[in-house]
Amino acid sequence: MDDPIFHLSGIVRTKGEMEDFVGPLSLILQLLSKNKIEIRDISISLILEQYLAYLDNLAAMDLEIASEFVAMASYLMLIKTKMLLSTGEDVSELDQLISSLEELKRRDSYAKIKTVIITLRDMAEKAGVTYTKPPESIPPDNTYRYTHKITDLLRAYRRIAQAEESPPPAGRPFTYPKPIVYSVKDKAREILHTLSLEGSARMSILVKEAGSRTEVVAIFVAILELCRVGEIEFIESQDDVTIYRAAAPLDLPVPPDTPEEATGGDVPNGNE
Amino acid sequence: MEMNDIECVLEGILFASGEPVPADRIALTLGVPKTDVYQAAHALAHRLEMEKRGIRLVVLGDTLQLCSAPEYADYIRQALEVRKQPQLSQQALEVLAIVAYHQPVTKLVVDQIRGVDSSYTVGLLQDRGLIEACGRLNVPGRPLLYRTTPTFLRAFGIASLEEMPPLPESENGEGDSPEDWVQVKMETPL
Amino acid sequence: MEMNDIECVLEGILFASGEPVPADRIALTLGVPKTDVYQAAHALAHRLEMEKRGIRLVVLGDTLQLCSAPEYADYIRQALEVRKQPQLSQQALEVLAIVAYHQPVTKLVVDQIRGVDSSYTVGLLQDRGLIEACGRLNVPGRPLLYRTTPTFLRAFGIASLEEMPPLPESENGEGDSPEDWVQVKMETPL
């Protein structure tokens, strides 16, 4: 703000119009607000000159205005001095001035807004009530709309060919998870082992403990096989089947290795 | 594309959308200059009004929208059993006006100008689609900025914000806009 | 109420609803016989169609509805499409190249050539209209065969598949055409 022009007309008025000023501070605030100046930029001499020139033009010199001006000028001096000398802490005067300035502007804005409210209300009334409609649902069409060079396709093809030729990264051999296979024989052994420990086994529990479908199948087949060779019996209850060790082994050929291994080995006190 | 064709496609697009559609998106779709779209829009709007049709075309800023004719509002409300929206209260109008004249603006500024907390009213106006958040001010706390919507223009029967009634001049006119005021406040290193 | 007035109010009500509105509810609202509503509906429908407008009125049983004119569907979709379609990814181009050079081809072959599962990309390319199913291969499982579409030709700016650049000899030596290779692979008992 090199050369601010302070438009004093409309701010400084004749005595009869002075109602909107309360004291020198208000006058300063008006000056500041109307000219949008920063407090720091206040050029007192400039204000003074312009003010005097304005007063010169006034036909009747109003003493009250003159005294108010003196008060204002000294006020400005005070503020400016304080600002120049202050260490940055003692700025309460400035704070006060700025907050007053804001308050003034706030009130001014609000007053202006209020003047158009009635017009706005009329406009809304005149525009009436209109309704809009919900959007139509439009089935999406995903047809591809971009264009490419045909050579892009060849390049893409070459890329695959190259990837194929390049050897697999060295140093990190691939490891595949070992498929878990359940043999019927192992399952039969397991079941006999359980029976020898607990006397009986519930089918539902055996199945529930199975980790996979193949294991369930293995369990079923093992039970069927053990039944066939007469190693086990079962009693069917309402919703379960309880398996027991057969009371007396029937005189049937025993599948190789099943009973011997199941009862021997890790079961110290077998049924033998 | 013939002007009459543009009118028809325009009508179809606006009907299907229901919501305001940017004029330049329509121009892009039809491959015609934006001025043609506006011309067609005005022709269509005129025709709908002249023929006293049940539909109106409104230009809302950079967007176009179809809406029902206001003179049939009562019938529509009755047939579709929609509740009549209450008129905007004095408070709502004040907040709306502050946002309209000072947009984009934070709620804080609205609060400061009115001297009271305006949270409820701001929420209400947002609910009614008259104002919307449009980003954040780059100051500590990053408060939301609000602006008016095309619905606002439609509710007040104007095509753009320029048609808003001018605010009374300050005694010293120019440069006393609240934006400057906010600016001043923010830049003051105190 | 004049017939023309009924037409206009009817248009306003149907517009604001967007959905089908029972004719008798409109008759009740306007205080006119239902036959008048139907008559006005037919007149309006006729007018909209004659003038090639962007809106159509359809009578669905006892209800009436406005909808956008189907002949402008493409424009409408284009204008209102929010999400921008992404360009083809590197993977998609690879799959497309395999299909283009080896068509008709099964997904299994694509998978084998690329060494990864290509189900998603094949689906995507189908969705974009760049490839299409064109029958089944006469082997156990009868897998679908894929080929490129006219959209593919358009996207790559060629008039026919003959304009595709030939695969270099060295990379694809005689007798080692992918079809043979696949054939062999498929017949190899694992």
Side-chain angles (χ1 to χ4, degrees), chain A residues 53-108:
Chain A
Y54 182 75
L55 288 184
D56 280 346
N57 289 341
L58 283 180
M61 176 79 166
D62 191 311
L63 273 181
E64 211 166 314
I65 293 177
S67 63
E68 224 162 68
F69 165 71
V70 174
M72 180 198 81
S74 57
Y75 218 106
L76 279 175
M77 284 294 205
L78 178 70
I79 291 168
K80 183 115 186 177
T81 316
K82 275 196 173 183
M83 241 191 68
L84 292 173
L85 298 178
S86 79
T87 53
E89 286 155 17
D90 184 24
V91 284
S92 64
E93 199 92 25
L94 196 61
D95 279 343
Q96 193 195 345
L97 186 65
I98 286 170
S99 69
S100 307
L101 177 62
E102 283 166 359
E103 172 69 17
L104 201 78
K105 286 199 164 191
R106 185 185 76 72
R107 249 189 269 147
D108 189 40

Short mmCIF file of all heavy atoms in Angstrom, two decimals, chain A residues 53-108:
data_model
loop_
_atom_site.label_atom_id
_atom_site.label_comp_id
_atom_site.label_asym_id
_atom_site.label_seq_id
_atom_site.Cartn_x
_atom_site.Cartn_y
_atom_site.Cartn_z
N ALA A 53 -7.10 18.87 4.49
CA ALA A 53 -7.62 19.35 3.22
C ALA A 53 -9.14 19.24 3.20
O ALA A 53 -9.82 20.14 2.70
CB ALA A 53 -7.03 18.51 2.08
N TYR A 54 -9.59 18.14 3.75
CA TYR A 54 -11.04 17.95 3.78
C TYR A 54 -11.68 19.01 4.66
O TYR A 54 -12.69 19.60 4.29
CB TYR A 54 -11.35 16.55 4.30
CG TYR A 54 -12.82 16.26 4.32
CD1 TYR A 54 -13.50 16.00 3.12
CD2 TYR A 54 -13.54 16.26 5.50
CE1 TYR A 54 -14.85 15.74 3.12
CE2 TYR A 54 -14.89 16.01 5.51
CZ TYR A 54 -15.55 15.74 4.32
OH TYR A 54 -16.88 15.49 4.32
N LEU A 55 -11.07 19.24 5.79
CA LEU A 55 -11.65 20.22 6.71
C LEU A 55 -11.65 21.61 6.10
O LEU A 55 -12.57 22.39 6.32
CB LEU A 55 -10.86 20.23 8.03
CG LEU A 55 -11.07 19.00 8.92
CD1 LEU A 55 -10.32 19.17 10.23
CD2 LEU A 55 -12.54 18.71 9.17
N ASP A 56 -10.62 21.87 5.30
CA ASP A 56 -10.55 23.16 4.63
C ASP A 56 -11.77 23.38 3.76
O ASP A 56 -12.27 24.48 3.62
CB ASP A 56 -9.29 23.23 3.75
CG ASP A 56 -8.07 23.55 4.61
OD1 ASP A 56 -8.28 23.96 5.77
OD2 ASP A 56 -6.94 23.38 4.12
N ASN A 57 -12.18 22.29 3.18
CA ASN A 57 -13.30 22.39 2.25
C ASN A 57 -14.63 22.55 2.97
O ASN A 57 -15.62 22.93 2.36
CB ASN A 57 -13.38 21.15 1.35
CG ASN A 57 -12.23 21.12 0.36
OD1 ASN A 57 -11.62 22.17 0.12
ND2 ASN A 57 -11.96 19.97 -0.19
N LEU A 58 -14.64 22.16 4.21
CA LEU A 58 -15.88 22.30 4.93
C LEU A 58 -16.17 23.79 5.14
O LEU A 58 -15.31 24.54 5.59
CB LEU A 58 -15.80 21.61 6.30
CG LEU A 58 -15.94 20.09 6.29
CD1 LEU A 58 -15.83 19.56 7.70
CD2 LEU A 58 -17.25 19.68 5.66
N ALA A 59 -17.36 24.14 4.77
CA ALA A 59 -17.70 25.56 4.89
C ALA A 59 -17.63 26.00 6.35
O ALA A 59 -17.01 27.00 6.69
CB ALA A 59 -19.10 25.80 4.34
N ALA A 60 -18.23 25.22 7.18
CA ALA A 60 -18.24 25.59 8.58
C ALA A 60 -17.35 24.65 9.36
O ALA A 60 -17.51 23.45 9.31
CB ALA A 60 -19.67 25.50 9.13
N MET A 61 -16.41 25.25 10.00
CA MET A 61 -15.49 24.47 10.81
C MET A 61 -16.21 24.12 12.11
O MET A 61 -16.60 24.99 12.88
CB MET A 61 -14.24 25.31 11.08
CG MET A 61 -13.24 24.65 11.99
SD MET A 61 -12.25 23.44 11.10
CE MET A 61 -10.95 23.20 12.29
N ASP A 62 -16.36 22.82 12.29
CA ASP A 62 -17.04 22.37 13.49
C ASP A 62 -16.01 22.08 14.56
O ASP A 62 -15.13 21.24 14.38
CB ASP A 62 -17.86 21.12 13.18
CG ASP A 62 -18.80 20.79 14.31
OD1 ASP A 62 -18.33 20.75 15.46
OD2 ASP A 62 -19.99 20.56 14.03
N LEU A 63 -16.10 22.75 15.63
CA LEU A 63 -15.10 22.61 16.69
C LEU A 63 -15.08 21.19 17.25
O LEU A 63 -14.04 20.66 17.59
CB LEU A 63 -15.38 23.60 17.82
CG LEU A 63 -14.76 24.97 17.65
CD1 LEU A 63 -15.08 25.86 18.85
CD2 LEU A 63 -13.23 24.87 17.49
N GLU A 64 -16.24 20.62 17.27
CA GLU A 64 -16.31 19.27 17.83
C GLU A 64 -15.52 18.30 16.96
O GLU A 64 -14.83 17.43 17.46
CB GLU A 64 -17.76 18.83 17.94
CG GLU A 64 -17.98 17.89 19.11
CD GLU A 64 -19.44 17.72 19.41
OE1 GLU A 64 -20.16 18.75 19.45
OE2 GLU A 64 -19.85 16.56 19.58
N ILE A 65 -15.65 18.51 15.65
CA ILE A 65 -14.89 17.65 14.74
C ILE A 65 -13.40 17.86 14.95
O ILE A 65 -12.62 16.93 15.03
CB ILE A 65 -15.27 17.92 13.27
CG1 ILE A 65 -16.72 17.50 13.03
CG2 ILE A 65 -14.35 17.17 12.33
CD1 ILE A 65 -17.20 17.79 11.64
N ALA A 66 -13.04 19.11 15.06
CA ALA A 66 -11.63 19.43 15.21
C ALA A 66 -11.06 18.80 16.47
O ALA A 66 -10.00 18.18 16.44
CB ALA A 66 -11.45 20.94 15.25
N SER A 67 -11.78 18.88 17.55
CA SER A 67 -11.27 18.31 18.79
C SER A 67 -11.20 16.79 18.68
O SER A 67 -10.27 16.15 19.17
CB SER A 67 -12.15 18.74 19.97
OG SER A 67 -13.45 18.21 19.79
N GLU A 68 -12.19 16.25 18.02
CA GLU A 68 -12.18 14.81 17.84
C GLU A 68 -10.98 14.39 17.01
O GLU A 68 -10.38 13.35 17.23
CB GLU A 68 -13.47 14.36 17.16
CG GLU A 68 -14.04 13.13 17.83
CD GLU A 68 -15.48 12.94 17.44
OE1 GLU A 68 -15.70 12.66 16.26
OE2 GLU A 68 -16.35 13.07 18.31
N PHE A 69 -10.67 15.25 16.05
CA PHE A 69 -9.54 14.91 15.22
C PHE A 69 -8.25 14.92 16.02
O PHE A 69 -7.39 14.03 15.88
CB PHE A 69 -9.41 15.90 14.05
CG PHE A 69 -8.08 15.81 13.39
CD1 PHE A 69 -7.77 14.69 12.62
CD2 PHE A 69 -7.10 16.77 13.58
CE1 PHE A 69 -6.53 14.57 12.04
CE2 PHE A 69 -5.86 16.64 13.01
CZ PHE A 69 -5.57 15.55 12.23
N VAL A 70 -8.10 15.87 16.86
CA VAL A 70 -6.90 15.94 17.69
C VAL A 70 -6.79 14.66 18.53
O VAL A 70 -5.73 14.04 18.62
CB VAL A 70 -6.92 17.20 18.60
CG1 VAL A 70 -5.75 17.18 19.57
CG2 VAL A 70 -6.90 18.45 17.75
N ALA A 71 -7.91 14.28 19.08
CA ALA A 71 -7.91 13.07 19.89
C ALA A 71 -7.53 11.87 19.04
O ALA A 71 -6.74 11.01 19.44
CB ALA A 71 -9.30 12.87 20.50
N MET A 72 -8.09 11.82 17.86
CA MET A 72 -7.81 10.69 16.97
C MET A 72 -6.34 10.62 16.59
O MET A 72 -5.71 9.57 16.64
CB MET A 72 -8.65 10.81 15.69
CG MET A 72 -8.40 9.68 14.73
SD MET A 72 -8.96 10.06 13.08
CE MET A 72 -7.62 11.03 12.48
N ALA A 73 -5.82 11.79 16.24
CA ALA A 73 -4.42 11.83 15.82
C ALA A 73 -3.50 11.38 16.95
O ALA A 73 -2.58 10.59 16.72
CB ALA A 73 -4.06 13.25 15.36
N SER A 74 -3.82 11.81 18.14
CA SER A 74 -2.96 11.40 19.25
C SER A 74 -3.10 9.91 19.53
O SER A 74 -2.14 9.23 19.87
CB SER A 74 -3.28 12.22 20.51
OG SER A 74 -4.65 12.05 20.82
N TYR A 75 -4.29 9.43 19.34
CA TYR A 75 -4.54 8.00 19.53
C TYR A 75 -3.71 7.18 18.55
O TYR A 75 -3.03 6.21 18.90
CB TYR A 75 -6.03 7.71 19.32
CG TYR A 75 -6.54 6.67 20.28
CD1 TYR A 75 -7.35 7.02 21.36
CD2 TYR A 75 -6.22 5.33 20.09
CE1 TYR A 75 -7.81 6.07 22.24
CE2 TYR A 75 -6.69 4.38 20.97
CZ TYR A 75 -7.49 4.75 22.04
OH TYR A 75 -7.94 3.81 22.91
N LEU A 76 -3.75 7.62 17.31
CA LEU A 76 -2.99 6.93 16.28
C LEU A 76 -1.50 6.96 16.61
O LEU A 76 -0.79 5.95 16.45
CB LEU A 76 -3.22 7.56 14.90
CG LEU A 76 -4.49 7.16 14.17
CD1 LEU A 76 -4.63 7.98 12.90
CD2 LEU A 76 -4.47 5.68 13.84
N MET A 77 -1.06 8.11 17.04
CA MET A 77 0.35 8.26 17.43
C MET A 77 0.71 7.25 18.50
O MET A 77 1.73 6.57 18.43
CB MET A 77 0.59 9.68 17.98
CG MET A 77 0.66 10.74 16.91
SD MET A 77 2.11 10.48 15.87
CE MET A 77 2.37 12.13 15.29
N LEU A 78 -0.17 7.18 19.48
CA LEU A 78 0.06 6.28 20.60
C LEU A 78 0.19 4.83 20.12
O LEU A 78 1.15 4.12 20.45
CB LEU A 78 -1.10 6.40 21.60
CG LEU A 78 -1.01 5.46 22.80
CD1 LEU A 78 0.12 5.90 23.73
CD2 LEU A 78 -2.33 5.43 23.56
N ILE A 79 -0.75 4.46 19.28
CA ILE A 79 -0.75 3.08 18.78
C ILE A 79 0.52 2.82 17.98
O ILE A 79 1.20 1.81 18.16
CB ILE A 79 -2.00 2.81 17.91
CG1 ILE A 79 -3.24 2.82 18.80
CG2 ILE A 79 -1.88 1.50 17.18
CD1 ILE A 79 -4.53 2.86 18.02
N LYS A 80 0.81 3.76 17.11
CA LYS A 80 1.96 3.57 16.25
C LYS A 80 3.24 3.48 17.09
O LYS A 80 4.09 2.62 16.86
CB LYS A 80 2.05 4.73 15.25
CG LYS A 80 3.17 4.59 14.27
CD LYS A 80 2.66 4.43 12.87
CE LYS A 80 3.82 4.14 11.92
NZ LYS A 80 3.37 3.92 10.55
N THR A 81 3.35 4.33 18.04
CA THR A 81 4.54 4.32 18.90
C THR A 81 4.65 2.99 19.63
O THR A 81 5.70 2.36 19.66
CB THR A 81 4.45 5.46 19.93
OG1 THR A 81 4.02 6.64 19.28
CG2 THR A 81 5.79 5.70 20.60
N LYS A 82 3.53 2.61 20.20
CA LYS A 82 3.54 1.34 20.94
C LYS A 82 3.95 0.19 20.05
O LYS A 82 4.69 -0.70 20.45
CB LYS A 82 2.14 1.06 21.50
CG LYS A 82 1.89 1.74 22.83
CD LYS A 82 0.68 1.13 23.50
CE LYS A 82 0.53 1.69 24.91
NZ LYS A 82 -0.60 1.07 25.60
N MET A 83 3.44 0.25 18.83
CA MET A 83 3.77 -0.84 17.90
C MET A 83 5.24 -0.87 17.57
O MET A 83 5.85 -1.93 17.49
CB MET A 83 2.95 -0.68 16.62
CG MET A 83 2.05 -1.85 16.37
SD MET A 83 1.40 -1.72 14.75
CE MET A 83 2.86 -1.99 13.81
N LEU A 84 5.78 0.31 17.35
CA LEU A 84 7.19 0.38 16.97
C LEU A 84 8.10 0.00 18.13
O LEU A 84 9.16 -0.58 17.93
CB LEU A 84 7.53 1.80 16.48
CG LEU A 84 6.88 2.20 15.16
CD1 LEU A 84 7.15 3.66 14.86
CD2 LEU A 84 7.40 1.31 14.02
N LEU A 85 7.66 0.31 19.33
CA LEU A 85 8.53 0.07 20.48
C LEU A 85 8.27 -1.27 21.15
O LEU A 85 9.12 -1.78 21.86
CB LEU A 85 8.35 1.20 21.52
CG LEU A 85 8.73 2.59 21.03
CD1 LEU A 85 8.46 3.62 22.11
CD2 LEU A 85 10.19 2.64 20.61
N SER A 86 7.10 -1.79 20.93
CA SER A 86 6.75 -3.01 21.68
C SER A 86 7.62 -4.18 21.26
O SER A 86 8.12 -4.26 20.14
CB SER A 86 5.29 -3.36 21.43
OG SER A 86 5.17 -3.99 20.18
N THR A 87 7.82 -5.10 22.21
CA THR A 87 8.63 -6.29 21.93
C THR A 87 7.76 -7.39 21.33
O THR A 87 8.23 -8.48 21.09
CB THR A 87 9.27 -6.81 23.21
OG1 THR A 87 8.23 -6.99 24.19
CG2 THR A 87 10.29 -5.83 23.74
N GLY A 88 6.53 -7.09 21.16
CA GLY A 88 5.66 -8.11 20.57
C GLY A 88 4.72 -8.70 21.59
O GLY A 88 3.80 -9.44 21.25
N GLU A 89 4.95 -8.37 22.86
CA GLU A 89 4.07 -8.92 23.89
C GLU A 89 2.99 -7.93 24.28
O GLU A 89 1.84 -8.27 24.47
CB GLU A 89 4.89 -9.31 25.13
CG GLU A 89 5.71 -10.56 24.93
CD GLU A 89 6.91 -10.60 25.86
OE1 GLU A 89 6.93 -9.85 26.85
OE2 GLU A 89 7.82 -11.37 25.58
N ASP A 90 3.41 -6.72 24.37
CA ASP A 90 2.49 -5.70 24.83
C ASP A 90 1.72 -5.11 23.66
O ASP A 90 2.01 -4.05 23.17
CB ASP A 90 3.29 -4.61 25.57
CG ASP A 90 2.37 -3.56 26.16
OD1 ASP A 90 1.19 -3.90 26.39
OD2 ASP A 90 2.83 -2.42 26.35
N VAL A 91 0.77 -5.85 23.18
CA VAL A 91 0.04 -5.38 22.01
C VAL A 91 -1.46 -5.34 22.28
O VAL A 91 -2.26 -5.41 21.39
CB VAL A 91 0.29 -6.28 20.78
CG1 VAL A 91 1.65 -6.00 20.22
CG2 VAL A 91 0.11 -7.74 21.14
N SER A 92 -1.80 -5.25 23.55
CA SER A 92 -3.22 -5.33 23.89
C SER A 92 -4.01 -4.21 23.21
O SER A 92 -5.13 -4.41 22.78
CB SER A 92 -3.41 -5.26 25.39
OG SER A 92 -2.97 -4.00 25.86
N GLU A 93 -3.39 -3.09 23.09
CA GLU A 93 -4.07 -1.96 22.46
C GLU A 93 -4.38 -2.30 21.00
O GLU A 93 -5.47 -2.07 20.50
CB GLU A 93 -3.15 -0.74 22.52
CG GLU A 93 -3.87 0.57 22.32
CD GLU A 93 -4.31 1.16 23.65
OE1 GLU A 93 -3.67 0.83 24.68
OE2 GLU A 93 -5.28 1.92 23.66
N LEU A 94 -3.38 -2.88 20.37
CA LEU A 94 -3.53 -3.26 18.96
C LEU A 94 -4.58 -4.35 18.83
O LEU A 94 -5.42 -4.31 17.94
CB LEU A 94 -2.17 -3.75 18.45
CG LEU A 94 -2.03 -3.82 16.94
CD1 LEU A 94 -2.20 -2.45 16.32
CD2 LEU A 94 -0.67 -4.39 16.59
N ASP A 95 -4.50 -5.31 19.75
CA ASP A 95 -5.50 -6.38 19.76
C ASP A 95 -6.89 -5.80 19.82
O ASP A 95 -7.78 -6.18 19.07
CB ASP A 95 -5.30 -7.28 20.99
CG ASP A 95 -4.19 -8.28 20.76
OD1 ASP A 95 -3.84 -8.47 19.58
OD2 ASP A 95 -3.69 -8.84 21.74
N GLN A 96 -7.00 -4.87 20.73
CA GLN A 96 -8.30 -4.26 20.94
C GLN A 96 -8.78 -3.57 19.67
O GLN A 96 -9.92 -3.71 19.26
CB GLN A 96 -8.19 -3.26 22.08
CG GLN A 96 -9.55 -2.80 22.60
CD GLN A 96 -9.41 -1.55 23.46
OE1 GLN A 96 -8.30 -1.20 23.88
NE2 GLN A 96 -10.51 -0.89 23.71
N LEU A 97 -7.85 -2.88 19.06
CA LEU A 97 -8.20 -2.15 17.85
C LEU A 97 -8.64 -3.11 16.76
O LEU A 97 -9.66 -2.90 16.09
CB LEU A 97 -6.98 -1.34 17.39
CG LEU A 97 -7.22 -0.42 16.21
CD1 LEU A 97 -8.21 0.67 16.59
CD2 LEU A 97 -5.92 0.19 15.73
N ILE A 98 -7.87 -4.18 16.61
CA ILE A 98 -8.19 -5.12 15.54
C ILE A 98 -9.51 -5.84 15.80
O ILE A 98 -10.34 -5.98 14.90
CB ILE A 98 -7.04 -6.14 15.36
CG1 ILE A 98 -5.86 -5.43 14.68
CG2 ILE A 98 -7.48 -7.33 14.52
CD1 ILE A 98 -4.61 -6.23 14.66
N SER A 99 -9.70 -6.22 17.04
CA SER A 99 -10.95 -6.93 17.31
C SER A 99 -12.14 -5.99 17.16
O SER A 99 -13.21 -6.41 16.71
CB SER A 99 -10.92 -7.58 18.70
OG SER A 99 -10.95 -6.58 19.68
N SER A 100 -11.92 -4.74 17.48
CA SER A 100 -12.99 -3.77 17.27
C SER A 100 -13.27 -3.61 15.79
O SER A 100 -14.41 -3.53 15.35
CB SER A 100 -12.61 -2.41 17.85
OG SER A 100 -12.22 -2.55 19.17
N LEU A 101 -12.19 -3.59 15.04
CA LEU A 101 -12.31 -3.47 13.59
C LEU A 101 -13.11 -4.64 13.03
O LEU A 101 -14.00 -4.47 12.20
CB LEU A 101 -10.89 -3.45 12.98
CG LEU A 101 -10.77 -3.40 11.49
CD1 LEU A 101 -11.40 -2.12 10.96
CD2 LEU A 101 -9.31 -3.46 11.07
N GLU A 102 -12.78 -5.82 13.54
CA GLU A 102 -13.49 -7.00 13.07
C GLU A 102 -14.96 -6.94 13.44
O GLU A 102 -15.83 -7.26 12.64
CB GLU A 102 -12.85 -8.27 13.68
CG GLU A 102 -11.56 -8.63 12.98
CD GLU A 102 -10.78 -9.64 13.78
OE1 GLU A 102 -11.24 -10.03 14.86
OE2 GLU A 102 -9.70 -10.03 13.31
N GLU A 103 -15.18 -6.55 14.66
CA GLU A 103 -16.55 -6.46 15.13
C GLU A 103 -17.35 -5.52 14.23
O GLU A 103 -18.48 -5.81 13.84
CB GLU A 103 -16.54 -5.94 16.58
CG GLU A 103 -17.89 -5.60 17.16
CD GLU A 103 -18.76 -6.82 17.38
OE1 GLU A 103 -18.21 -7.94 17.40
OE2 GLU A 103 -19.99 -6.66 17.52
N LEU A 104 -16.70 -4.43 13.86
CA LEU A 104 -17.37 -3.45 13.02
C LEU A 104 -17.70 -4.04 11.65
O LEU A 104 -18.80 -3.89 11.13
CB LEU A 104 -16.43 -2.25 12.86
CG LEU A 104 -17.10 -0.97 12.46
CD1 LEU A 104 -17.76 -0.35 13.67
CD2 LEU A 104 -16.07 -0.03 11.86
N LYS A 105 -16.73 -4.72 11.11
CA LYS A 105 -16.94 -5.32 9.79
C LYS A 105 -18.02 -6.40 9.86
O LYS A 105 -18.82 -6.56 8.95
CB LYS A 105 -15.64 -5.94 9.31
CG LYS A 105 -14.63 -4.91 8.88
CD LYS A 105 -13.59 -5.54 8.01
CE LYS A 105 -12.82 -4.46 7.28
NZ LYS A 105 -11.98 -5.01 6.23
N ARG A 106 -17.97 -7.17 10.93
CA ARG A 106 -18.94 -8.22 11.13
C ARG A 106 -20.34 -7.64 11.12
O ARG A 106 -21.22 -8.11 10.41
CB ARG A 106 -18.65 -8.90 12.47
CG ARG A 106 -19.50 -10.10 12.76
CD ARG A 106 -19.23 -10.63 14.16
NE ARG A 106 -19.85 -9.79 15.18
CZ ARG A 106 -21.16 -9.73 15.40
NH1 ARG A 106 -21.97 -10.45 14.65
NH2 ARG A 106 -21.65 -8.98 16.35
N ARG A 107 -20.50 -6.58 11.87
CA ARG A 107 -21.81 -5.97 11.97
C ARG A 107 -22.24 -5.40 10.62
O ARG A 107 -23.39 -5.50 10.22
CB ARG A 107 -21.80 -4.86 13.03
CG ARG A 107 -22.64 -5.25 14.24
CD ARG A 107 -22.79 -4.07 15.17
NE ARG A 107 -21.74 -4.04 16.15
CZ ARG A 107 -21.24 -2.92 16.66
NH1 ARG A 107 -21.66 -1.73 16.24
NH2 ARG A 107 -20.29 -2.96 17.57
N ASP A 108 -21.27 -4.87 9.91
CA ASP A 108 -21.55 -4.29 8.61
C ASP A 108 -22.02 -5.39 7.64
O ASP A 108 -23.02 -5.23 6.94
CB ASP A 108 -20.27 -3.63 8.08
CG ASP A 108 -20.54 -2.84 6.82
OD1 ASP A 108 -21.60 -2.18 6.77
OD2 ASP A 108 -19.71 -2.89 5.90
#
